[in-house]
């Protein structure tokens, strides 16, 4: 029993040893219960031997894998609980497993055999190399001690020789100095003849100390000192005289002179200032015509020379002159619309930045901002010239796309602008201002084309007088901001001459311009604001923050509409007052001497003009083109005295006229040339007021017979009858008509009485009948019932 126990314990110890060796080799702990790696296949190993899969260590049913496995208990348990067949089967299984483990272990040993051999060799080599290294270190220490000892011996042997060399070297230096001093006069003369005054002064300043120290002991040194001193003093006097004369030379020449004088301590503050002025003068002369980059590069050398001479050199004035000259040339380039301006500004700012002067950086920044602004202004000047051509073409053709064309051209100009190296905020301000001025300029040009601008600026022409408009004080200040002059004074003579001729051919041109100004007030301002926002990289930039641009268009539109109303009103006035009045005011109205048989032709011309005004304004402002259908003359219905101003004797008429003249002094004043609104009714009313007031003024210069007075009464009666056809509110015109009738009756020379009611009714009936027949035949008539009749 004991022998079996011993054999069992030996076998168990061998197995444990093998497991420990394998675990140490693979880096596993002896008691680690990790799952061993599972083979990916069971067909064969790398050696071609079929290897069964080892039993899983994680299986709880295998007691052999347990850390508390007891062989004796396990064997007794099998003998008592298992049958003979099961025991045989289990024994065979254990034997097979043992063989498999032995085979696996053998395979692992074969596979790692070469690694074991290499590891063993390396360990052996490490031991041998460590011994060699230790012996080498010992030899190195011994050698270092030996070298140190021999070096000490060499130093002791060479000490006396080195001291002798030092003594001889000092002697050599003194001999060389003596040689230099002996030839000092000749060398100074050589420098002076070659005009190297600075070198002469520096040499004398360097060698003078030796002469001063030993001149009392050695006569020859005293003579050398006196001769050289006289030579240098003469040189200094001549240099000072040269500076006082100031003949043109190189700026480097003046700094060379100054350096020589300053080395000798002979340069006063006055002398220094004079040298700086001469050097700066000749610097500008030398670099005249050179590019700005070349001049700035030369200015850097100028400044360095000045610092060497004086320790400091202020070249701000020279820099300012260079930049101002460059700015002037760049402005000319901008006006000529040359290329590469932004790139040149970039390069110049880079050159200035090299100086590292903050004040100069600010100055060049301001100059480049002005140049880019000028370039922007030139682009808008070109746009102004193109705008003049576009407006000329628009007047020559029936195209109504003028606002779209102006909008497109303005946006294209904004897109063509380049910021260069100007800060975005400065660029934004410049573009906004130029866009604003351009839009204001367009309003002024359109106003001039429409015949307005009386007292207003068509940009580029001088201001003649103030606006005569109903503006309050606050609006007046905004108005002053709206009449800005053009800095380039774009010529508008040809355009204005053409516009004047066009107005004579087409009386409705001012009305067309007024409508365009109203449209442009919103479209151009909005388009310009969006365009500026895009080109400056931000959102929409409002170019009309103070409302001055909008006001300028409003005033242009109102002025053109007023001009249209005045032109039409004066034409109607000339027709209505034809033959009435004279220059002397004493002649009887000649047309009135004849018997009245009809309405004067001038009345028909006036009504034709009124009809055209109704058609033109109604078509552009919208709404009805007439106020109401024409009234029909009812047979047998007479006219009151108020209709034509009659009904009594001449004496009564004169009395009534005199009373009315007195009443005028206290009556409300009728404004004839007042503001005109953008409506058909307002324009037609303005034309009527101008025509009737002109008739009233003409009547005051005439004498009337009975027939002449009757003619006026007939004309006024017809106009009063047709007035509701053109106007809805005509009280003001009625009042002027009353004044006309009363004034004519007052100036009638005859004492006779005339019953004009029947005459007026007959003439009006015949005239209206003729108009009705013309309308039925499709001819042009002065009264109409349909809105589309021309």
């Amino acid at each position: 029993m004991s022998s079996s126990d011993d054999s069992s314990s030996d076998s168990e110890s061998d197995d444990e040893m093998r497991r420990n060796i394998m675990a140490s080799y693979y880096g596993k702990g002896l008691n680690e219960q990790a799952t061993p790696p599972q083979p990916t296949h069971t067909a064969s190993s790398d050696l071609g031997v079929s290897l069964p899969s080892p039993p899983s260590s994680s299986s709880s049913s295998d007691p052999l894998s347990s850390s508390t496995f007891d062989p004796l208990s396990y064997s007794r348990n099998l003998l008592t609980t298992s049958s003979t067949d099961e025991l045989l089967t289990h024994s065979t299984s254990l034997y097979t497993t043992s063989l498999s483990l032995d085979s696996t272990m053998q395979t692992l040993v074969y596979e790692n055999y070469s690694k074991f051999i290499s590891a063993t060799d390396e360990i052996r080599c490490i031991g041998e190399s460590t011994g060699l290294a230790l012996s080498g270190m010992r030899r190195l220490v011994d050698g270092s001690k030996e070298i140190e000892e021999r070096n000490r011996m060499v130093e002791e042997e060479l000490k006396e020789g080195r001291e002798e060399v030092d003594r001889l070297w000092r002697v050599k230096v003194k001999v060389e100095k003596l040689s230099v001093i002996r030839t000092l006069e000749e060398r100074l003369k050589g420098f002076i003849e070659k005009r190297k005054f600075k070198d002469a002064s520096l040499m004398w300043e360097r060698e003078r100390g030796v002469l001063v120290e030993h001149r009392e002991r050695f006569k020859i040194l005293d003579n050398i000192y006196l001769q050289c001193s006289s030579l240098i003093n003469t040189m200094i006097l001549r240099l000072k005289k040269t500076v006082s004369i100031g003949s043109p030379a190189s700026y480097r020449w003046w700094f060379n002179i100054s350096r020589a004088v300053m080395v000798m301590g002979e340069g006063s503050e006055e002398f220094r200032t004079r040298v700086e002025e001469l050097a700066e003068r000749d610097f500008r002369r030398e670099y005249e015509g050179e590019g700005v980059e070349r001049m700035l590069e030369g200015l850097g050398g100028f400044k360095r020379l000045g610092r060497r001479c004086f320790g400091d050199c202020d070249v701000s004035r020279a820099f300012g002159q260079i930049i101002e000259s460059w700015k002037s040339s760049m402005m000319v380039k901008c006006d000529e619309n040359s290329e590469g301006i932004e790139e040149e500004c970039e390069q110049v700012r880079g050159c200035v930045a090299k100086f590292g002067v903050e004040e100069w950086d600010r100055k060049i920044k301001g100059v480049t901002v002005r140049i880019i602004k000028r370039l922007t202004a030139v682009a808008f000047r070109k746009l102004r010239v193109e705008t003049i051509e576009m407006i000329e073409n628009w007047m020559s053709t029936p195209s109504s796309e003028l606002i779209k064309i102006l909008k497109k051209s303005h946006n294209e100009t904004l897109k063509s602008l380049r910021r260069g190296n100007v800060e975005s905020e400065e660029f934004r301000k410049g573009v906004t201002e130029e866009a604003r001025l351009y839009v204001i300029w367009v309003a002024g040009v359109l106003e001039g084309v429409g015949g307005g601008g009386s007292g207003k600026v068509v940009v580029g022409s001088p201001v003649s007088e103030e606006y005569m408009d109903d503006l309050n004080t606050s609006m007046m200040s905004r108005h002053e901001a709206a009449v800005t002059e053009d800095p380039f004074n774009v010529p508008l003579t040809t355009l204005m001459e053409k516009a004047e001729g066009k107005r004579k051919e087409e009386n409705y041109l001012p009305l067309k311009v007024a409508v365009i100004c109203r449209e442009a007030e919103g479209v151009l301002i909005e388009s310009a604001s969006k365009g500026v926002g895009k080109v400056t990289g931000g959102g929409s930039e409002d170019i009309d923050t103070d409302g001055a641009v909008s006001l300028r268009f409003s005033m242009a539109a109102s002025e053109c509409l007023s001009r249209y109303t005045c032109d039409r009103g004066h034409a109607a006035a000339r027709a209505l007052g034809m033959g009435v009045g004279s220059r002397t005011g004493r002649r009887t109205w000649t047309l009135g001497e004849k018997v009245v048989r009809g309405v004067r032709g001038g009345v028909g011309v006036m009504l034709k003009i009124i009809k055209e005004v109704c058609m033109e304004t109604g078509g552009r402002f919208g709404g009805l083109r007439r106020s109401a259908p024409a009234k029909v003359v009812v047979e047998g219905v007479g006219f009151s005295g108020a209709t034509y101003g009659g009904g009594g004797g001449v004496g009564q008429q004169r009395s009534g006229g005199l009373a009315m003249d007195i009443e005028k002094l206290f009556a409300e004043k009728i404004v004839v040339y007042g503001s005109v609104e953008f409506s058909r009714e307002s324009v037609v009313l303005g034309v009527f007021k101008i025509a009737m007031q002109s008739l009233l003024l003409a009547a005051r210069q005439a004498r009337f017979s009975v027939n002449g007075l009757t003619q006026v009464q007939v004309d006024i009666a017809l106009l009063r009858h047709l007035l509701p056809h053109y106007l809805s509110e005509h009280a003001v015109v009625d009042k002027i008509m009353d004044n006309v009738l009363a004034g004519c009756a007052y100036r009638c020379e005859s004492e006779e009485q005339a019953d004009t009611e029947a005459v007026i009714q007959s003439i009006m009936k015949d005239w209206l009948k003729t108009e009705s027949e013309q309308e039925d035949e499709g001819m042009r008539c002065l009264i109409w019932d349909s809105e589309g009749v021309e």
Side-chain angles (χ1 to χ4, degrees):
M1 189 66 180
S2 60
S3 61
S4 64
D5 293 339
D6 293 338
S7 62
S8 177
S9 61
D10 294 338
S11 176
E12 185 176 352
S13 61
D14 292 339
D15 292 341
E16 184 177 1
M17 181 180 65
R18 281 197 292 272
R19 282 198 298 272
N20 292 337
I21 292 173
M22 295 302 293
S24 64
Y25 178 79
Y26 287 104
K28 302 291 184 178
L30 297 179
N31 297 324
E32 186 176 356
Q33 300 297 325
T35 304
Q38 300 293 330
T40 57
H41 59 85
T42 58
S44 65
S45 68
D46 295 338
L47 298 178
V49 181
S50 177
L51 299 175
S53 300
S56 176
S57 62
S58 61
S59 176
S60 60
S61 62
D62 189 3
L64 296 177
S65 301
S66 175
S67 59
T68 59
F69 176 70
D70 185 4
L72 295 178
S73 300
Y74 181 71
S75 300
R76 292 192 186 95
N77 187 32
L78 285 177
L79 291 174
T80 57
T81 60
S82 301
S83 62
T84 304
D85 294 336
E86 292 176 350
L87 290 173
L88 291 174
T89 301
H90 193 67
S91 176
T92 302
S93 175
L94 290 176
Y95 180 73
T96 303
T97 302
S98 176
L99 292 177
S100 176
L101 289 174
D102 291 340
S103 176
T104 301
M105 187 177 298
Q106 184 179 8
T107 301
L108 292 174
V109 171
Y110 288 158
E111 289 178 351
N112 295 281
Y113 181 72
S114 60
K115 297 179 181 179
F116 292 152
I117 294 174
S118 299
T120 303
D121 294 340
E122 290 296 331
I123 293 171
R124 185 181 299 111
C125 291
I126 289 172
E128 294 176 355
S129 60
T130 301
L132 293 174
L134 291 175
S135 61
M137 289 296 292
R138 293 189 187 96
R139 290 195 301 271
L140 179 61
V141 171
D142 296 338
S144 298
K145 291 180 179 180
E146 184 178 356
I147 291 172
E148 184 179 358
E149 181 64 22
R150 290 183 179 183
N151 182 49
R152 185 181 60 79
M153 294 171 63
V154 170
E155 288 290 335
E156 290 178 355
E157 292 178 358
L158 294 177
K159 182 177 181 181
E160 294 180 0
R162 287 179 177 176
E163 290 177 354
E164 183 65 18
V165 169
D166 290 341
R167 185 183 66 79
L168 294 175
W169 174 257
R170 288 192 296 272
V171 172
K172 178 183 178 182
V173 170
K174 291 180 180 181
V175 170
E176 289 178 351
K177 286 185 177 181
L178 181 60
S179 175
V180 170
I181 290 173
R182 290 183 61 187
T183 60
L184 181 60
E185 183 179 359
E186 288 75 11
R187 297 178 67 182
L188 290 177
K189 287 181 180 180
F191 280 133
I192 293 173
E193 290 175 357
K194 294 178 181 179
R195 307 171 71 88
K196 296 182 178 180
F197 307 112
K198 180 187 69 174
D199 295 337
S201 298
L202 291 174
M203 176 175 285
W204 171 243
E205 185 69 15
R206 185 173 58 250
E207 306 298 340
R208 182 172 58 176
V210 177
L211 294 174
V212 171
E213 182 180 358
H214 301 286
R215 60 179 293 195
E216 295 180 357
R217 295 170 56 192
F218 302 98
K219 183 66 176 177
I220 187 172
L221 295 181
D222 184 58
N223 292 334
I224 293 174
Y225 175 81
L226 294 175
Q227 293 172 359
C228 292
S229 178
S230 175
L231 187 64
I232 293 296
N233 290 334
T234 303
M235 180 192 74
I236 296 299
L237 290 176
R238 290 180 179 177
L239 293 180
K240 286 185 176 182
K241 185 177 181 180
T242 302
V243 171
S244 64
I245 296 174
S247 301
S250 170
Y251 72 92
R252 299 176 184 83
W253 161 258
W254 297 115
F255 281 127
N256 186 26
I257 290 177
S258 173
R259 181 60 172 163
V261 176
M262 298 299 289
V263 166
M264 301 309 301
E266 299 291 335
S268 62
E269 188 66 27
E270 182 180 356
F271 173 81
R272 171 180 173 176
T273 303
R274 176 64 175 166
V275 169
E276 288 180 346
E277 291 176 354
L278 294 173
E280 185 176 326
R281 180 200 66 184
D282 291 332
F283 170 79
R284 293 196 303 270
R285 181 181 57 81
E286 182 175 346
Y287 282 92
E288 184 177 2
E290 296 283 350
V292 63
E293 296 180 39
R294 181 87 174 88
M295 295 181 71
L296 290 174
E297 182 181 352
L299 185 64
F302 183 93
K303 188 174 183 180
R304 288 190 293 272
L305 287 176
R307 285 182 175 177
R308 290 177 184 175
C309 290
F310 310 120
D312 186 19
C313 183
D314 185 10
V315 294
S316 299
R317 183 174 58 183
F319 172 78
Q321 292 174 348
I322 292 173
I323 296 304
E324 288 298 324
S325 175
W326 174 69
K327 182 182 73 174
S328 300
S329 65
M330 291 300 289
M331 290 298 183
V332 174
K333 286 185 179 181
C334 289
D335 294 345
E336 296 173 353
N337 203 15
S338 302
E339 298 292 335
I341 294 177
E342 298 89 348
E343 291 78 4
E344 185 171 348
C345 290
E346 184 85 27
Q347 294 171 359
V348 171
R349 287 190 69 174
C351 293
V352 174
K354 295 178 181 179
F355 288 93
V357 181
E358 185 178 353
E359 182 181 355
W360 292 9
D361 291 337
R362 288 196 301 269
K363 183 175 181 62
I364 194 63
K365 174 184 175 182
V367 170
T368 52
V369 167
R370 291 189 61 183
I371 292 173
I372 296 300
K373 284 184 176 180
R374 183 74 172 188
L375 191 62
T376 302
V378 169
F380 276 93
R381 180 183 187 274
K382 181 180 178 182
L383 177 61
R384 286 178 170 88
V385 176
E386 295 174 354
T387 301
I388 294 175
E389 297 177 357
M390 287 185 279
I391 294 177
E392 288 182 356
N393 296 333
W394 169 76
M395 288 192 300
S396 304
T397 61
S399 174
S400 60
E401 301 295 325
L402 178 61
I403 298 300
K404 292 183 180 179
I405 296 174
L406 293 177
K407 174 183 173 182
K408 180 180 179 182
S409 300
H410 186 248
N411 289 334
E412 289 178 353
T413 300
L414 287 173
K415 291 178 182 178
S416 67
L417 299 178
R418 297 181 61 186
R419 184 167 69 89
N421 56 5
V422 177
E423 283 70 11
S424 57
E425 183 64 20
E426 293 289 342
F427 181 68
R428 182 191 63 79
K429 290 180 181 178
V431 173
T432 302
E433 183 63 21
E434 288 299 330
R436 171 188 170 92
L437 290 178
Y438 169 73
V439 178
I440 290 177
W441 179 86
V442 170
V445 173
L446 290 176
E447 184 180 12
V449 170
S454 176
K456 293 178 279 292
V457 168
V458 173
V459 181
S461 62
V463 179
S464 58
E465 60 185 35
E466 294 291 338
Y467 270 161
M468 301 301 296
D469 208 345
D470 298 330
L471 297 176
N472 56 32
T473 305
S474 62
M475 292 287 282
M476 208 62 176
S477 62
R478 292 170 61 194
H479 159 240
E480 291 173 359
V483 287
T484 306
E485 295 186 5
D486 177 17
F488 291 102
N489 197 17
V490 177
L492 298 170
T493 306
T494 305
L495 176 63
M496 293 308 161
E497 291 177 353
K498 189 171 183 179
E500 184 178 358
K502 195 70 174 177
R503 288 195 301 271
K504 293 179 179 179
E505 298 174 2
E506 303 175 355
N507 292 323
Y508 58 85
L509 178 61
L511 179 62
K512 290 171 60 177
V513 175
V515 175
I516 287 178
C517 287
R518 291 191 73 193
E519 180 183 354
E521 180 180 350
V523 176
L524 281 185
I525 294 176
E526 181 181 1
S527 174
S529 298
K530 290 182 179 179
V532 171
K534 289 181 180 179
V535 74
T536 55
S540 180
E541 184 69 30
D542 188 7
I543 67 169
D544 192 23
T545 55
D546 58 353
V549 183
S550 178
L551 174 65
R552 190 68 181 89
F553 275 103
S554 297
M555 296 170 68
S558 299
E559 186 68 17
C560 291
L561 186 62
S562 298
R563 178 58 183 265
Y564 170 78
T565 304
C566 290
D567 289 346
R568 294 305 231 173
H570 293 160
R574 285 192 297 270
L576 183 60
M578 188 179 301
V580 180
S582 65
R583 293 184 178 180
T584 61
R586 296 179 180 274
R587 190 174 58 190
T588 304
W589 187 24
T590 56
L591 294 179
E593 298 293 338
K594 301 178 182 179
V595 178
V596 180
R597 300 186 182 279
V599 179
R600 285 186 302 123
V603 176
V605 175
M606 173 194 172
L607 293 177
K608 177 183 177 182
I609 294 173
I610 295 293
K611 179 184 177 181
E612 291 177 351
V613 172
C614 291
M615 293 296 181
E616 291 168 359
T617 56
R620 284 175 170 80
F621 300 149
L624 299 176
R625 299 187 180 185
R626 59 174 171 77
S627 177
K631 292 182 180 181
V632 179
V633 178
V634 180
E635 188 71 26
V637 178
F639 294 86
S640 63
T643 304
Y644 53 87
V650 175
Q652 294 176 351
Q653 295 168 359
R654 290 179 179 176
S655 176
L658 179 60
M660 188 172 62
D661 287 341
I662 296 175
E663 291 177 359
K664 285 182 180 179
L665 299 175
F666 305 97
E668 182 181 357
K669 182 179 179 180
I670 298 175
V671 180
V672 178
Y673 293 93
S675 59
V676 183
E677 299 178 358
F678 281 83
S679 66
R680 185 201 67 83
E681 187 81 6
S682 178
V683 175
V684 175
L685 176 61
V687 174
F688 263 115
K689 288 194 295 184
I690 294 172
M692 299 309 301
Q693 190 71 16
S694 298
L695 178 61
L696 176 60
L697 295 175
R700 291 177 178 176
Q701 300 176 5
R703 296 283 190 267
F704 290 92
S705 64
V706 175
N707 289 333
L709 177 60
T710 302
Q711 183 66 65
V712 174
Q713 291 171 343
V714 169
D715 296 341
I716 294 298
L718 177 64
L719 292 175
R720 195 190 296 274
H721 179 78
L722 295 179
L723 196 57
H725 180 64
Y726 301 101
L727 286 173
S728 299
E729 298 293 336
H730 45 81
V732 175
V733 181
D734 283 332
K735 187 173 182 179
I736 299 176
M737 288 181 177
D738 292 339
N739 293 338
V740 172
L741 291 173
C744 292
Y746 177 73
R747 300 184 67 82
C748 183
E749 297 176 343
S750 176
E751 296 291 339
E752 300 178 1
Q753 296 185 9
D755 185 8
T756 59
E757 182 176 346
V759 176
I760 293 174
Q761 185 172 2
S762 175
I763 292 174
M764 286 182 57
K765 184 177 180 181
D766 293 341
W767 190 89
L768 293 172
K769 181 180 178 181
T770 302
E771 283 291 313
S772 178
E773 290 175 355
Q774 290 180 355
E775 184 178 6
D776 294 340
E777 294 175 3
M779 301 174 63
R780 297 178 62 87
C781 57
L782 301 179
I783 57 177
W784 69 98
D785 292 331
S786 60
E787 292 297 329
V789 174
E790 290 290 344

